[in-house]
């Protein structure tokens, strides 16, 4: 580093992406600072992946222990399963505190300066931080923006944080409403329906689009609907728009036809969780000081190297990662983007391969996917002149799943007919979030089902679900 800069790299935002970038930057010898206005760990650690997985782990065990029919088939008899809501809630918050502390300590140990305050770009290679002591100014050879995202609340919905709330408040598990309306059937809505029903709540799930779980592969969504919704205390309202939601006791929800916008019914429920996705937290970042405009949805425009763009051209030494870029709103995507930026800063050209990044919903059973949907693969095939095929294998034929008594599930493998290249894998079933990694690694290496069919899998394990699929898909 030349003496003209305070730091080689300043990162604004200490979520999983910013943290990962800081760790990689120090391993590459860059003098690094990270700026954070709120808590270390961002959404994932404080209001997302980590506390939700803690709640899902506890509620999932309650569900298992209450499933007397399943336990009896294994020769186990239990009476009167009880749980303590406050202890479950404390379990989640204790894990958050621990991981947040671990992240802070790892940065301090590596010599990363942690600056507390609101950071913004103040011109080329300049950062201003509004702290309790006032404004502080820093210079850096490179700057990474990692401001993250916040829950999206559609117009007409009033939040009070008690009876009408987003996932941010739901994770505190302050109370268990007898009847909860969940607006949205994406992974957040699905995970919370899993938690709430396991703990005895009734659910009404409201989806504006014309099918439940619209972002999932249709074959997976069909099974998920049977296993995760129809078998539980969940009623669904599809093609319905929550035009107005008023907090209180009860919560009043005006439901309209999504196409005509005409009010069709009024629901009165105990609570309403708004799980309608997330939007970038990109206001007040000082982007105008370097001539950058966000797109109409508020995302920061970036190129394949994660350089921030102004009128389509890279802004020198300015990068952005994570939810604010609108690529894939996943913690591990942000982390991969952060490492990519540091590599590019160090002169080692790198891009993020989004097709090989897996995603998962941690329901019981889990859902996971990587790569393309069958429809997207067929569209690409039509464009580039190749045919697409798919095969399915079922957990009910897997020895380990049979031994566990957990045979609901399917793996769907999508591939090119000519070369056998793996294009996408979608799984619902026991430990789907762990199983998907093998497929993600294969897609990253552009492997064919022919190659994959010769890999040896441990017997008896759930991994043989994919082994069987690859063997079935082999192109001769």
């Amino acid at each position: 580093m030349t003496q003209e800069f305070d730091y080689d790299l300043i990162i604004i935002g200490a979520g999983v992406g910013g943290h990962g970038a800081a760790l990689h930057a120090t391993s590459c010898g860059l003098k690094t600072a990270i700026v954070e206005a709120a808590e270390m760990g961002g959404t994932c650690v404080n209001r997302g992946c980590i506390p939700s997985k803690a709640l899902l782990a506890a509620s999932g065990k309650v569900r298992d222990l209450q499933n007397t029919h399943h336990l009896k088939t294994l020769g186990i008899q239990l009476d009167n399963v009880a749980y303590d809501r406050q202890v479950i809630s404390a379990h989640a918050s204790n894990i958050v505190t621990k991981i947040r502390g671990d992240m802070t300590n790892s940065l301090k140990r590596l010599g990363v300066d942690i600056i507390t305050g609101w950071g913004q770009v103040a011109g080329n290679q300049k950062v201003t931080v509004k702290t309790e002591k006032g404004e502080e100014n820093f210079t850096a050879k490179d700057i990474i923006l990692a401001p993250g995202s916040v829950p999206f609340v559609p117009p007409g919905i009033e939040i009070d944080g008690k009876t009408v709330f987003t996932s941010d408040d739901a994770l505190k598990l302050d109370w268990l409403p007898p009847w909860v309306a969940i607006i949205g059937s994406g992974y957040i809505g699905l995970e919370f329906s899993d938690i709430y029903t396991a703990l005895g709540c009734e659910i009404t799930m409201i989806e504006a689009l014309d099918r439940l779980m619209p972002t999932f592969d249709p074959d997976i969504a069909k099974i998920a609907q049977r296993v995760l919704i129809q078998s539980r205390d969940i009623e669904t309202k599809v093609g319905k728009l929550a035009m107005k939601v008023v907090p209180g006791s009860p919560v009043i929800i005006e439901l309209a036809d999504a196409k005509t916008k005409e009010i069709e019914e009024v629901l009165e429920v105990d609570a309403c969780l708004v799980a309608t996705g997330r939007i970038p937290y990109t206001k007040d970042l000082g982007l105008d000081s370097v001539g950058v405009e966000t797109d109409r949805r508020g995302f920061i425009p970036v190129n394949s190297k994660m350089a921030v763009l102004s009128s389509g051209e890279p802004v020198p030494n300015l990068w952005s990662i994570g939810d604010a870029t609108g690529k894939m709103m996943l913690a591990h995507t942000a982390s991969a983007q952060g490492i990519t930026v540091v590599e590019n800063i160090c002169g080692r050209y790198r891009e993020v391969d989004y097709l090989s990044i897996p995603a998962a919903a941690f329901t019981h059973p889990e859902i996971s996917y990587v790569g393309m949907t069958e429809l997207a693969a067929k569209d690409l095939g039509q464009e580039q002149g190749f045919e697409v095929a798919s095969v399915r294998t079922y957990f009910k034929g897997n020895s380990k799943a049979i031994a566990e008594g957990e045979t609901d599930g399917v793996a769907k493998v999508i591939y090119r007919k000519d070369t056998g290249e793996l294009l996408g894998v979608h799984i619902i079933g026991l430990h789907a979030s762990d199983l998907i990694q093998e497929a993600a690694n294969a897609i990253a290496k552009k492997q064919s089902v022919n190659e994959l069919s010769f890999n040896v899998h441990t017997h008896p394990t759930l991994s043989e679900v994919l082994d069987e699929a690859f063997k079935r898909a082999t192109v001769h």
Side-chain angles (χ1 to χ4, degrees):
M1 184 186 71
T2 58
Q3 292 308 305
E4 60 183 301
F5 296 107
D6 299 321
Y7 294 97
D8 289 317
L9 178 64
I10 291 180
I11 302 161
I12 297 176
V16 170
H19 179 264
L23 295 185
H24 192 55
T26 55
S27 74
C28 295
L30 303 181
K31 186 184 179 189
T32 305
I34 197 161
V35 181
E36 178 53 65
E39 315 98 334
M40 180 67 67
T43 295
C44 170
V45 170
N46 298 284
R47 298 171 298 280
C49 343
I50 303 304
S52 65
K53 298 307 104 48
L55 296 183
L56 282 158
S59 61
K61 284 182 171 55
V62 172
R63 186 188 297 285
D64 289 343
L65 294 171
Q66 286 176 337
N67 189 345
T68 52
H69 172 73
H70 178 239
L71 290 172
K72 275 179 183 171
T73 64
L74 297 173
I76 301 166
Q77 291 180 358
L78 277 180
D79 295 314
N80 300 327
V81 175
Y83 64 84
D84 186 321
R85 176 195 58 79
Q86 287 171 303
V87 176
I88 291 175
S89 175
H91 165 61
S93 61
N94 291 343
I95 286 172
V96 167
T97 304
K98 181 193 182 314
I99 292 176
R100 196 163 60 206
D102 290 348
M103 289 177 84
T104 304
N105 293 338
S106 66
L107 292 175
K108 285 180 176 170
R109 197 166 56 245
L110 291 167
V112 175
D113 287 351
I114 300 169
I115 303 164
T116 304
W118 182 264
Q120 50 184 190
V121 181
N124 191 34
Q125 300 176 303
K126 289 175 187 160
V127 169
T128 295
V129 184
K130 293 171 184 169
T131 69
E132 287 177 358
K133 300 171 191 166
E135 275 194 2
E136 289 188 54
N137 297 299
F138 302 94
T139 58
K141 188 172 178 300
D142 286 276
I143 299 163
I144 296 177
L145 301 174
S149 63
V150 291
F152 170 62
V153 180
I157 297 177
E158 192 186 327
I159 301 280
D160 70 347
K162 292 290 176 197
T163 60
V164 181
F165 44 80
T166 66
S167 55
D168 283 6
D169 287 310
L171 287 163
K172 296 170 191 168
L173 208 68
D174 285 334
W175 66 307
L176 287 168
W179 183 7
V180 187
I182 297 178
I183 302 173
S185 64
Y187 74 95
I188 296 173
L190 280 179
E191 288 186 350
F192 274 102
S193 73
D194 200 281
I195 292 165
Y196 281 134
T197 53
L199 301 179
C201 308
E202 289 179 45
I203 301 292
T204 296
M205 188 172 274
I206 301 161
E207 174 55 59
L209 296 176
D210 56 8
R211 73 176 177 92
L212 284 172
M213 293 168 268
T215 57
F216 294 95
D217 179 274
D219 288 339
I220 300 296
K222 193 174 169 185
I223 294 173
Q225 201 165 333
R226 175 175 60 79
V227 177
L228 300 176
I229 293 175
Q230 287 164 359
S231 67
R232 297 175 183 175
D233 208 349
I234 301 174
E235 68 166 337
T236 59
K237 296 188 180 289
V238 179
K240 300 286 181 275
L241 207 55
M243 295 292 282
K244 193 174 182 186
V245 179
V246 182
S249 188
V251 174
I252 310 292
I253 302 174
E254 292 184 6
L255 280 187
D257 180 280
K259 291 186 174 74
T260 65
K261 308 287 190 289
E262 285 178 24
I263 304 294
E264 292 188 332
E265 64 176 309
V266 177
L267 290 181
E268 292 188 0
V269 296
D270 297 301
C272 178
L273 165 63
V274 183
T276 46
R278 300 182 67 83
I279 51 172
Y281 194 39
T282 50
K283 288 180 181 150
D284 202 22
L285 281 177
L287 292 172
D288 51 346
S289 71
V290 283
V292 173
E293 286 182 21
T294 57
D295 70 11
R296 61 182 180 78
R297 296 173 302 161
F299 291 112
I300 297 171
V302 291
N303 65 11
S304 59
K305 293 165 74 175
M306 308 314 299
V308 174
L309 302 175
S310 172
S311 306
E313 291 300 314
V315 177
N317 311 100
L318 185 62
W319 316 80
S320 186
I321 62 171
D323 288 1
T325 64
K327 300 297 180 189
M328 286 174 94
M329 286 189 165
L330 301 166
H332 48 281
T333 300
S335 207
Q337 289 171 330
I339 288 166
T340 293
V341 169
V342 172
E343 287 294 294
N344 283 310
I345 285 171
C346 295
R348 298 184 288 269
Y349 181 79
R350 192 166 189 85
E351 291 183 2
V352 180
D353 176 15
Y354 295 103
L355 276 178
S356 69
I357 296 178
F362 293 84
T363 45
H364 296 86
E366 296 174 343
I367 303 171
S368 64
Y369 59 91
V370 66
M372 298 182 198
T373 61
E374 192 166 7
L375 188 63
K378 282 180 174 170
D379 286 346
L380 184 70
Q382 215 164 9
E383 192 186 301
Q384 296 186 2
F386 62 81
E387 280 188 65
V388 168
S390 68
V391 295
R392 291 161 191 73
T393 49
Y394 295 87
F395 280 64
K396 64 186 174 191
N398 177 270
S399 304
K400 181 75 185 300
I402 294 167
E404 296 270 356
E406 300 268 3
T407 55
D408 271 321
V410 64
K412 180 178 178 180
V413 166
I414 301 152
Y415 60 98
R416 283 180 66 145
K417 263 188 174 179
D418 54 355
T419 62
E421 185 185 338
L422 190 63
L423 299 176
V425 174
H426 303 258
I427 306 172
I428 178 169
L430 190 63
H431 294 300
S433 67
D434 299 307
L435 294 176
I436 202 67
Q437 194 60 50
E438 176 183 3
N441 295 347
I443 287 176
K445 292 176 182 171
K446 300 197 180 314
Q447 287 184 294
S448 76
V449 289
N450 301 51
E451 283 177 83
L452 295 165
S453 70
F454 288 105
N455 287 348
V456 180
H457 293 72
T458 316
H459 177 75
T461 62
L462 296 169
S463 70
E464 291 174 296
V465 168
L466 278 181
D467 182 44
E468 191 186 330
F470 297 144
K471 284 178 165 59
R472 197 173 284 181
T474 304
V475 180
H476 295 294

